[in-house]
Amino acid sequence: EPVMPGVLQVEAMAQTGGIFVLHSLPDPENYITYFLKMESVKFRQRVVPGDTLVFVLEMISPVRRGICHMRGTAWVGDKIVTEAELMAQIVKKK
């Protein structure tokens, strides 16, 4: 029975969060985000081929010293399938 692995769901959520954070910068093309930590990850429902995942991310606290703390939720239709708290670092490209 095929399912989308949880690690891929969390990675997709983290990448979406990186885009979300970089979008708030005036020159996002000059920065990179690095995924640092995940906490309180919960898989509530299976995700199967054909499902469309919609990610909703919100900042838990303001960005401090390049560290951003986010809460993410993944939805399939009107059901929450995955939840997680994520932390990332924003670094200027050299």
Side-chain angles (χ1 to χ4, degrees):
E1 187 173 328
V3 296
M4 182 175 185
V7 68
L8 294 180
Q9 293 176 49
V10 174
E11 176 63 27
M13 187 182 294
Q15 288 190 28
T16 302
I19 293 167
F20 169 61
V21 170
L22 289 179
H23 186 68
S24 67
L25 300 175
D27 55 344
E29 65 279 355
N30 295 321
Y31 292 87
I32 300 172
T33 56
Y34 292 104
F35 185 38
L36 297 177
K37 180 169 77 169
M38 61 181 171
E39 293 182 315
S40 305
V41 177
K42 296 179 184 155
F43 301 104
R44 305 240 179 237
Q45 300 276 330
R46 290 181 309 157
V47 178
V48 297
D51 284 348
T52 300
L53 278 171
V54 176
F55 297 105
V56 176
L57 283 102
E58 60 184 338
M59 298 297 286
I60 293 174
S61 59
V63 177
R64 285 188 216 121
R65 288 183 262 146
I67 303 293
C68 33
H69 194 193
M70 300 168 276
R71 178 176 296 114
T73 308
W75 297 77
V76 171
D78 62 350
K79 293 183 180 174
I80 295 175
V81 294
T82 308
E83 296 175 288
E85 287 187 21
L86 307 170
M87 190 172 286
Q89 182 177 20
I90 304 168
V91 178
K92 189 161 182 123
K93 289 182 185 177
K94 294 180 183 190

